[in-house]
Structure formats: structure tokens, C-alpha cells
């Protein structure tokens, strides 16, 4: 395991060194990371060496470290006030729309693959949930470069932040159900499990965010504030997962939103910006993203494309269809609600096509237990969708975004 950590850190350093050069090309940086991981692992194994990567050795690192880092970093930098102004459409897209999207996508995969014994409905729904988790990092960076409106940024980034957390909760419940003969997903028990898991996470996140913000303002030392922000992620996640058995990701999300907004209010009052903790979390998010995309490349094989090409194409089609159904189906409902600013059709197009799949989806795909029937097919489907995102969706986004300005 120490050798694996050293190799991953070396790859992160290499990624940081080549990033300025990659930015001069039209190729997405994350795509280069996937290629780097794939080529590196092929060369390494071709020379007769073992990568040392095993599911049971890095699943906990992904679910208990990398995913919380990705969620907290996004929440910490999310302008909560702007998010609150657009909370209704964001929550609609991130909760009921995500659940419906996951069901449509999963059911299409189940019908399309057509092998219930090897790829049962619950496994298909697991794939649908992972595909419903969107990653706006590349899109938001384009927004900043092109000068898109703050509201469009809030809608896309806010939806992604909340649907990532919802997807992680659903992922965990389905994994438990698969390990218990699907008994947890029967009727009211599933609904109760979902709301208690989410509700408990919210309460713990609010408590952690409140106390961490007090400690943050009592300290003027940048190092202390940085450590407080790290604890604001680690402590609520641990307490939620291990002490109360509720959603640690929801706790991390709420804690990050509270502490991030508290920090911005302090800056507005004192007129003195503290950049250390912000840069610290940018670095944390950067490292987590690099590791996740490199791991994706390492675990991709030539045989995956040869054996799972149909499942990959089916996943792309199912994810695109289900995304279009919920975006174009739910936003008109938001538009007719009282006291809600309308979401224009051009915004809907960006939200629909901007539902890129990235870090969280890959992390969940990497952490599927090998005991799950059809786990390899699910992983291939997610990888296929992420590759479609990197090489098709992302390059077409700038032209679409410009039409909204």
C-alpha cells in the first residue's frame, strides 16, 4: 500500500507539471489524466509488474476520503446566498428529478442488456444512480472564462453539489440492499431509510458547521483556520457514519456550506480576505480529482472496450435520454411556480448538456464491491459515459454557453 501511495503522489506531481502545457491544447486536462493512468498501467503491467491496486485496498480511501473531499470542496466554495435564491429549482433537480432520472436510466439499462440473472434490476438502478451524479468543474471554469451569468453558474453548480450527495446516499442504500437480498428497498422501509439517513446527516452537518464557524472566527491564525476547515469535514463525516449510521456525505455537504458562507460573511465585514483555507481546499480538491481520474485510467483495460462496448453505448444513450426527460420535464414546472425566476430554454439546454459525469461518479464506480452481480458491467458503463463527457460533451460546451450570454 505505501508503494501505491507514493506512485499516486508522483502521478499528482507529474499532472501538476504538465497541466500548463495541457491548457494550451483543446484536450480536457481530466482526459489527459485518464490517458496517463491507462498508458502508465499498461506499460507497468507489460513489464511484468503488478500495480498493487485491489478493490478492498482503495475502496475505503475513495468513499471515506476522496468523495468527502470533493463534496466539501465544492460546498465550501459555493456562494450559499446565491444558492438560496435558486434553492427551489436546484433542490427539485437534485432530489425528485435525480431519483426519476436514475430510475429511467436504470430501467433502460435493464431492458437493453436483457440478462436479469447476470445484470438484475437492482444492479441496473445502481448504475442509474451513479450516472445521475453530475460534475460541473469543467463547465463552471468555462462559465468564468466566457462570462456566463452568476445565476446559471449557481443552477449548474448547485444542482451538481446536491445531486452528488443524493447519489452517494442512494448508492450506499442500494449496496446495503444488494448485500441483504434487496430487503431494504421494499416499500416504506426504503423511504424511511432514505429520509432518516439524509435528515440525520443534515443535523450533524448543521451542528458541525455552527461550531466550526465559531472556532474559525475566534482564531486569526491562518494555519489554525485551515486545520479547523479540515476538521469541519472529517469530524461530521466520522460521527455521522460511525456513531449514528446516517449519511456522512450529507453532513459534509451541510458543514461545508455553513463554514464557507460564514467565511464569506467575515470577509464582507472585516474587508480582509483570508485566502489560506480557500487555497488549501482548492489543493485538496485538485489532488482528489487527479487521483480519481488517474485511477479510472489505471483500471481501464482494452478488454473492457472489447467485451462491454454495447453496455457502454447503451449507458450513454440511457443517461442522455433520462437527463433530457428530467431537465426539460421539470424546469417548466419550476417556471410556473409563483415568485420563481423563469429558467429560459437556452439555460435548460446548458443544464441538460452540462450534466457532465466526473469525479464522484468515477469514485462510486471504483468502490462497487466485486460481490455485486454485474459490477464490472456497471463500472464499464460509467467509464464509457465519463469518456463521452470528456471527448464529446465538454468540447461542445463553449459554443453552447456562448449562446446564453
Amino acid at each position: 500500500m505505501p508503494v501505491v501511495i507514493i506512485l499516486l503522489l508522483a502521478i499528482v506531481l507529474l499532472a501538476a507539471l504538465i497541466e500548463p502545457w495541457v491548457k494550451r491544447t483543446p484536450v480536457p486536462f481530466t482526459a489527459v489524466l485518464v490517458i496517463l493512468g491507462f498508458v502508465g498501467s499498461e506499460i507497468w503491467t507489460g513489464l511484468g509488474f503488478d500495480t498493487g491496486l485491489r478493490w478492498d485496498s482503495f475502496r475505503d480511501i475513495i468513499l471515506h476520503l476522496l468523495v468527502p473531499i470533493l463534496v466539501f470542496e465544492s460546498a465550501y466554495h459555493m456562494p450559499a446566498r446565491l444558492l438560496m435564491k435558486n434553492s427551489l429549482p436546484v433542490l427539485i433537480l437534485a432530489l425528485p428529478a435525480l431519483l426519476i432520472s436514475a430510475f429511467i436510466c436504470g430501467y433502460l439499462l435493464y431492458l437493453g442488456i436483457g440478462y436479469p440473472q447476470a445484470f438484475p434490476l437492482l444492479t441496473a438502478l445502481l448504475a442509474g444512480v451513479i450516472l445521475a451524479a453530475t460534475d460541473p468543474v469543467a463547465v463552471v471554469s468555462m462559465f468564468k472564462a466566457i462570462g456566463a451569468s452568476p445565476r446559471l453558474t449557481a443552477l449548474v453548480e448547485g444542482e451538481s453539489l446536491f445531486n452528488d450527495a443524493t447519489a452517494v446516499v442512494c448508492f450506499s442504500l442500494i449496496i446495503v440492499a444488494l448485500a441483504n437480498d434487496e430487503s431494504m428497498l421494499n416499500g416504506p422501509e426504503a423511504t424511511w431509510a432514505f429520509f432518516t439517513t439524509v435528515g440525520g446527516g443534515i443535523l450533524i452537518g448543521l451542528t458541525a458547521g455552527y461550531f466550526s464557524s465559531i472556532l474559525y472566527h475566534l482564531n486569526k491564525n491562518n494555519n489554525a483556520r485551515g486545520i479547523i476547515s479540515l476538521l469541519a469535514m472529517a469530524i461530521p463525516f466520522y460521527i455521522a457514519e460511525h456513531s449514528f449510521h446516517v449519511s456522512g456525505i450529507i453532513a459534509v455537504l451541510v458543514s461545508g456550506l455553513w463554514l464557507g458562507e460564514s467565511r464569506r460573511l467575515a470577509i464582507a465585514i472585516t474587508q480582509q480576505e483570508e485566502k489560506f483555507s480557500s487555497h488549501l481546499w482548492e489543493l485538496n480538491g485538485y489532488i482528489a480529482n487527479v487521483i480519481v481520474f488517474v485511477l479510472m485510467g489505471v483500471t481501464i483495460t482494452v478488454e473492457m472496450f472489447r467485451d462491454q462496448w454495447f453496455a457502454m453505448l447503451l449507458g450513454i444513450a440511457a443517461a442522455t435520454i433520462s437527463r433530457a426527460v428530467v431537465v426539460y420535464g421539470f424546469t417548466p414546472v419550476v417556471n410556473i411556480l409563483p415568485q420563481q425566476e423563469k429558467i429560459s430554454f437556452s439555460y435548460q439546454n446548458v443544464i441538460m448538456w452540462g450534466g457532465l459525469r466526473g469525479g464522484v461518479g468515477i469514485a462510486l464506480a471504483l468502490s462497487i464491491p466485486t460481490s455485486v452481480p454485474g459490477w464490472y458491467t456497471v463500472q464499464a458503463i460509467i467509464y464509457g459515459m465519463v469518456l463521452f463527457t470528456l471527448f464529446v460533451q465538454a468540447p461542445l460546451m463553449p459554443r453552447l454557453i456562448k449562446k446564453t450570454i
Side-chain angles (χ1 to χ4, degrees), residues 73-91:
E73 190 271 334
S74 296
Y76 189 68
H77 290 109
M78 170 68 66
R81 290 195 173 189
L82 185 59
L83 180 62
M84 287 299 295
K85 289 176 64 176
N86 297 281
S87 59
L88 185 59
V90 165
L91 290 176

Side-chain angles (χ1 to χ4, degrees), residues 74-387:
S74 296
Y76 189 68
H77 290 109
M78 170 68 66
R81 290 195 173 189
L82 185 59
L83 180 62
M84 287 299 295
K85 289 176 64 176
N86 297 281
S87 59
L88 185 59
V90 165
L91 290 176
I92 287 175
L93 288 170
L95 290 171
L98 176 135
L99 296 175
I100 292 173
S101 174
F103 180 80
I104 294 172
C105 183
Y107 197 67
L108 289 175
L109 288 171
Y110 176 73
L111 292 177
I113 291 177
Y115 290 97
Q117 293 181 339
F119 195 78
L121 179 58
L122 203 54
T123 298
L125 292 177
L126 182 68
V129 163
I130 301 174
L131 286 171
T134 58
D135 182 1
V137 174
V139 177
V140 171
S141 63
M142 293 177 198
F143 286 170
K144 294 177 181 178
I146 297 173
S149 73
R151 182 170 188 253
L152 180 58
T153 303
L155 288 170
V156 172
E157 195 169 10
E159 183 220 348
S160 174
L161 177 62
F162 281 92
N163 77 14
D164 281 353
T166 307
V168 173
V169 172
C170 294
F171 174 89
S172 300
L173 292 175
I174 293 175
I175 291 296
V176 171
L178 282 164
N180 292 277
D181 298 324
E182 308 184 13
S183 59
M184 277 199 63
L185 287 189
N186 292 328
E189 291 85 357
T191 304
W192 176 250
F194 178 83
F195 283 107
T196 54
T197 300
V198 172
I202 290 173
L203 290 175
I204 293 172
L206 288 172
T207 305
Y210 174 73
F211 284 108
S212 61
S213 65
I214 292 175
L215 289 174
Y216 186 92
H217 293 304
L218 288 175
N219 285 277
K220 303 301 180 184
N221 181 278
N222 287 341
N223 292 331
R225 286 178 165 180
I227 293 171
I228 289 167
S229 70
L230 290 171
L231 292 175
M233 178 207 75
I235 291 177
F237 183 84
Y238 183 85
I239 291 175
E241 290 284 334
H242 298 281
S243 298
F244 293 94
H245 305 291
V246 295
S247 175
I249 288 299
I250 296 294
V252 165
L253 165 65
V254 174
S255 177
L257 283 172
W258 187 301
L259 183 59
E261 188 62 18
S262 176
R263 172 181 172 272
R264 278 182 288 275
L265 288 173
I267 292 171
I269 294 171
T270 63
Q271 301 297 315
Q272 294 180 344
E273 183 172 1
E274 183 273 297
K275 296 183 178 180
F276 179 80
S277 59
S278 179
H279 290 166
L280 173 65
W281 278 103
E282 287 177 4
L283 176 62
N284 290 340
Y286 178 86
I287 292 173
N289 260 308
V290 168
I291 291 175
V292 165
F293 277 95
V294 169
L295 280 176
M296 173 182 166
V298 169
T299 52
I300 287 177
T301 62
V302 175
E303 289 76 14
M304 180 180 286
F305 293 99
R306 184 189 65 202
D307 300 336
Q308 301 290 336
W309 63 269
F310 176 75
M312 288 179 167
L313 293 178
L314 187 63
I316 293 169
T320 304
I321 292 169
S322 61
R323 178 73 179 172
V325 168
V326 297
V327 170
Y328 295 123
F330 277 85
T331 47
V333 176
V334 175
N335 287 341
I336 64 175
L337 295 176
Q339 299 180 341
Q340 287 296 316
E341 185 179 352
K342 294 187 184 302
I343 302 174
S344 67
F345 188 68
S346 60
Y347 275 27
Q348 293 176 41
N349 291 334
V350 173
I351 293 170
M352 185 273 164
W353 195 247
L356 309 182
R357 276 69 175 183
V360 171
I362 298 170
L364 294 179
L366 284 166
S367 59
I368 300 172
T370 53
S371 58
V372 170
W375 71 271
Y376 184 69
T377 300
V378 175
Q379 194 174 85
I381 288 170
I382 307 306
Y383 285 5
M385 187 65 213
V386 172
L387 292 173

